[in-house]
Amino acid sequence: MKKSFLMSVAVAALFAGAASAADLKFAPGQDSKFNWKSYDEFKAAHADLKGEPLTIFGPWRGEDEAFFLSVLAYFTEATGVDAKYSSSENYEQQIVIDTQAGSPPNIAVLPQPGLLADLAGKGFLTPLGDENSKWIKDNYGAGDSWVGYGTYKGKDGKESFYAFPYKADVKSLVWYVPENFEEAGYKIPTTMEELHALTDQIVKDGGVPWCIGLGSGGATGWPATDWVEDIMLRTQPPEAYDKWTTNDLKFTDPAVVAAIDEFGKFAKNEKYVNGGVAAVASTDFRDSPKGLFTVPPKCYLHHQASFIPSFFPEGTKLGQDADFFYMPTYASHPELGKPVLGAGTLVSITKDLKTARAFIDFLKTPIAHEVWMAQSSFLTPYKGVSTEAYANPQMKKEGEILTSATTFRFDGSDLMPGKIGAGAFWTGMVDFVGGKSAQDAAAEIQSAWDGIK
Amino acid sequence: MTAAGSYFKIGPARLFVHLAVLLIVIVWLIPTLGIFVSALRDKDQIVVSGWWTSFVGSTQTVAVRLGTPDQQKQEGAIYVISGNVLEGQGGRAVKAFGNRVQQPAAFKAGETADLGDGETLQINSDGSYRYMKGTAFSPDERPRRIYVSVSAPPEFTVQNYHTVLTGEGIGQSFINSLTVTIPATIIPILIAAFAAYALSWMEFPGRALLIALVVGLIVVPLQMSLIPLLRLYNEIGTMLGQPSKTYPGIWLAHTAFGMPLAIFLLRAYIAGLPREIIESARVDGASDFEIFTRIVLPLSFPALASFAIFQFLWVWNDLLVAMVFLGTDKDHLVLTGSLNALLGSRGGNWEILTASAFVTIVVPLLVFFGLQRYLVRGLLAGSVKGG
């Protein structure tokens, strides 16, 4: 942490100075794992923007901000645009305030398609045009799904493509410590049935299988929504999942209730979770993976998205000290293939400018992805990037899960209206873990959804 | 004097009051102490144990990796990897070790453990180890993980403060915060003092109604007025060809948000000034402006000072108004904003939160202690009021 922090300070300090070739993280043209050709072509095509302004507002802060700035440096170097990035703790509220008050940034980056759809519906977003949606369709893994997550109804009721996906997270992962498995003689489960068996085996051996923590301040409960979504995708066809995110399939539907109950099999079993069921809702999601690394281990398995290694103890080497496996599918549902649950950030234009268009074009160059990939915490479904650029083999593995996905589905709670996906669903899951039955919790969420009109 | 003697001198009632005050002070100080101690602890320690456990030494069981196979040396018939598991960690001692995570303390320090496959391991209490095998270690083996119980003395670090104080743009945002706070404290006091005088000592029709209106405005939540106010600024800004998010904008916003309470507080004080003084000044031919500047302002200095403290603390600690009216870009980010940015996209860094709490508290404390004597003087002035 300390080292990476100092590094991010250094990166930011470099960026604060005059932009020159020396500020770029990887010197153009040198390392062959990057697509420098794409960078040169972009540079040649956008030489007429020198000194023009561009403001970007996004969710990345701290370390992530430093990574993004290192990518942005290539854009400013190539075009000479005076680009400024800023963020805020409550970026969701901030962007709503700024667009409504009439002082939006040029580019807004948001991880919630639901919120973007809302902004598009009020006429605050500028359509990106068909050539961009076609490009995504052709160049991204599960491109159609991605286009769908960036297409919303505008103020006039017409559907257009508004948000360009850039940077993704894979959610369907289970983290473990390889040596804990080896020393206890456990094997990586390949089906959900095996995962259940492994869970029981660990209990029989006197261990605790799972670390589950739902705590996240005002967002407490969201890790549980990922569980339910993962199980939904593994027990129901993707169409049912899509209907679920638009309320065409009710929360009270037996399929959804069964998925919540399936999560309950793990989270509501006193012997399965570290600290007991009472600890599930009160443990912070950032602290809960630390149980994997204690000696003796407080747990053996942890279900979380690809970003979680940032919260592993300092010095943890991925692949050696910690690893992940794909959250397995049910042997009883072979027809569903290998669905992947993910999330991502979407780039949209909130105030149109030539420079904003140029930035969207920049995101289509492999280099805009590779520079971040080569540092940390960045996955992309873009098939045109050189996967050699991934900073470590684990990220490469995660990236391949994304590009080879047969079914990719966006985090359902981010697609639902804010009151549900960032409200009733979260609190409903906390109530469920706190003792409510799946039926009652689902009914409560559904009644909240029915209340929005 | 004996303890009994002092007891009789103080008396049981007063003793009770003193004890109650002492108790309240302690209860209030415990969280502060907790934050202070946490800020001095390592981030990994904060997560695993409470701050109250940090004063005594502890025994931790940790996983360490032995040397890589390319460090092996041949000694006669056996191959040895040697080194120290406590490298660079002075003051610690190994108590026990083990090779299976399920039994991490199976062997005592100094024992030679048989790990199977012809491998043996000896770890001494100073951390030095010898990992031996009859045949050569295969070069593609990953470094062996073993577990050691280590007794560690209490440990504290100033790293968290270093992180916070050297964070990018902290100096700039400190200046930004002062640029926002000082005018946003002075302007409302100036206006409110005039208004308070007028509302208490100048007769005009509808005065009571106006006071009621001002007091009523206190209950309007500022979150409700953010968007309309910002939109108004944006429109005026476009008209004048100015950018919308500027320092004068946020000064005006803070002035507006602070005004109802300021007028209410100052009016209550100024209305309580002795009528005789003001009337005799009037009789002597002083104008309202002269009465205000020569008599009312000096007399109400304590009230002005106490309101200045309120307003200063509120503006200094504010994040929301600054984010909305000043924006989030680096040149305008206030201290609360840039400390918040240090937390990263997902937050949860207790060590940074606790350390930055103490960094931000410095200026308010200086202001409080700097103005405190005026508060005391104000209390004294109140005691002879109307005499």
Side-chain angles (χ1 to χ4, degrees), chain B residues 188-202 204 207 211 214 259 261-272 292 296-297 300 304:
Chain B
I189 289 180
L190 276 183
I191 302 177
F194 277 111
Y197 173 77
L199 289 175
S200 38
W201 294 108
M202 287 167 79
F204 56 90
R207 194 178 78 172
I211 294 171
V214 167
M259 193 60 70
L261 185 67
I263 294 176
F264 175 70
L265 285 180
L266 292 181
R267 196 204 80 92
Y269 188 90
I270 290 174
F292 175 70
V296 171
L297 266 194
S300 48
L304 297 179

Side-chain angles (χ1 to χ4, degrees), chain A residues 192-211:
Chain A
M192 206 65 172
E193 287 79 358
E194 282 179 33
L195 185 63
H196 278 288
L198 173 65
T199 303
D200 285 329
Q201 180 65 39
I202 294 172
V203 173
K204 224 174 93 195
D205 294 348
V208 178
W210 292 92
C211 273

